[in-house]
Amino acid sequence: MKAQSSVATYVQEPMKILGMSPFHFSVVVIGVVLLSMLGGVVGGQSVAFVLFIVTMPLGIVWAVHMRRKDPHSDTLFLLPNTFLRGKPSRHLVAGEKKNLEK
């Protein structure tokens, strides 16, 4: 029998801001602000306001989706990807038999 753990697992989750990691939050906010500034320069204040209102929820949805798909996606986002050999996600394959004889 396994004894119950006294460690609260919900406390061990990484910090979140609006459901996003701090890295995802900063990427979304910086991206939205830069896009709004570009829209403001090109089309005026009303275009910048509309771009901000439309892209902020989309960025939050993207970041929360990435976070739910893989809790360590912010760390993996910073890793360099090898040219044409990058893996879309991490997988742990236990017990896979590999034939090393040639």
Side-chain angles (χ1 to χ4, degrees):
M1 288 178 45
K2 186 176 178 183
Q4 237 182 357
S5 175
S6 62
V7 177
T9 56
Y10 63 89
V11 177
Q12 296 176 356
E13 291 183 9
M15 186 176 75
K16 296 178 187 173
I17 303 171
L18 297 176
M20 302 177 280
S21 67
F23 175 74
H24 280 135
F25 181 76
S26 61
V27 166
V28 168
V29 169
I30 290 170
V32 167
V33 167
L34 289 176
L35 184 64
S36 297
M37 287 174 56
L38 179 66
V41 169
V42 173
Q45 287 181 341
S46 59
V47 172
F49 182 73
V50 169
L51 278 174
F52 183 82
I53 295 298
V54 170
T55 56
M56 189 63 158
L58 292 175
I60 291 173
V61 166
W62 168 80
V64 169
H65 172 72
M66 292 297 293
R67 181 69 173 208
R68 287 181 181 169
K69 193 166 128 181
D70 186 5
H72 303 288
S73 61
D74 52 345
T75 307
L76 294 175
F77 186 70
L78 295 174
L79 293 176
N81 213 356
T82 57
F83 185 68
L84 293 179
R85 289 181 35 203
K87 295 179 182 178
S89 63
R90 300 179 300 133
H91 296 288
L92 176 62
V93 180
E96 181 180 11
K97 182 178 179 182
K98 294 188 178 187
N99 188 6
L100 298 176
E101 297 175 18
K102 288 187 179 182

